[in-house]
Amino acid sequence: MSISVETPALLFSATSLILLAYTNRFLTIAQIIRGLKTSFDKEQQKSILLQIQNLNLRIKLIRWMQLFGVFSLFLSVLDMLVLFFNLPLVGLYFFAGSLLCLLTSLGISFWEISISVKALQLHLKDLEDIETQKIAS
């Protein structure tokens, strides 16, 4: 089995868009953390601290997502280089490595999204409990 130089180039657009999405997630969460930190400094509420800890885990996961995404892109470029020098077997291994890095990045992304959804569900449950208490009163 062999691949052409164009094959790893297919990952460029997908990987670049994924990295952009990861960066946007990172920036949004960083902004939320800054706001929560300001709130925590004023109110010292444990719930705010728990939210910050949750977001800190998500930031760490996003860093790993970005790292594996960049590795995927790096291996794709390296793959094109070795294929250019007519080393198809080495190119095949680099392409497989690139795909594995991308798959790992996407897996971590799924994990991070799952954490986000659970946190949002807790917020919604709190709101439902407050609404139930208002109705009962």
Side-chain angles (χ1 to χ4, degrees):
M1 179 178 179
S2 66
I3 59 174
S4 68
V5 174
E6 293 85 14
T7 304
L10 294 173
L11 291 180
F12 269 72
S13 59
T15 307
S16 297
L17 288 174
I18 287 171
L19 288 173
L20 182 62
Y22 293 168
T23 300
N24 286 338
R25 275 189 198 170
F26 181 87
L27 293 174
T28 301
I29 292 174
Q31 185 177 11
I32 293 169
I33 289 172
R34 287 184 189 99
L36 287 172
K37 169 75 167 79
T38 302
S39 296
F40 181 76
D41 289 343
K42 292 177 186 173
E43 301 173 27
Q44 300 287 314
Q45 291 181 347
K46 185 176 180 178
S47 64
I48 295 173
L49 189 59
L50 293 173
Q51 289 178 48
I52 291 172
Q53 289 172 343
N54 177 283
L55 293 170
N56 185 38
L57 172 60
R58 289 180 57 200
I59 286 284
K60 289 176 184 176
L61 291 175
I62 291 170
R63 183 180 60 208
W64 283 104
M65 290 159 36
Q66 289 172 324
L67 180 70
F68 279 103
V70 168
F71 280 159
S72 176
L73 196 56
F74 179 80
L75 289 173
S76 292
V77 172
L78 202 54
D79 185 23
M80 288 188 299
L81 185 64
V82 298
L83 289 172
F84 179 77
F85 288 112
N86 201 21
L87 298 168
L89 185 60
V90 176
L92 195 60
Y93 288 126
F94 279 132
F95 186 65
S98 178
L99 290 176
L100 285 174
C101 286
L102 185 58
L103 187 62
T104 302
S105 177
L106 293 171
I108 296 169
S109 176
F110 180 76
W111 182 12
E112 189 269 332
I113 290 169
S114 297
I115 291 170
S116 175
V117 167
K118 286 178 187 174
L120 289 173
Q121 287 172 336
L122 288 174
H123 282 294
L124 291 173
K125 182 162 177 15
D126 289 345
L127 290 175
E128 289 172 0
D129 292 345
I130 290 170
E131 191 63 30
T132 303
Q133 289 174 358
K134 284 182 183 178
I135 292 172
S137 298

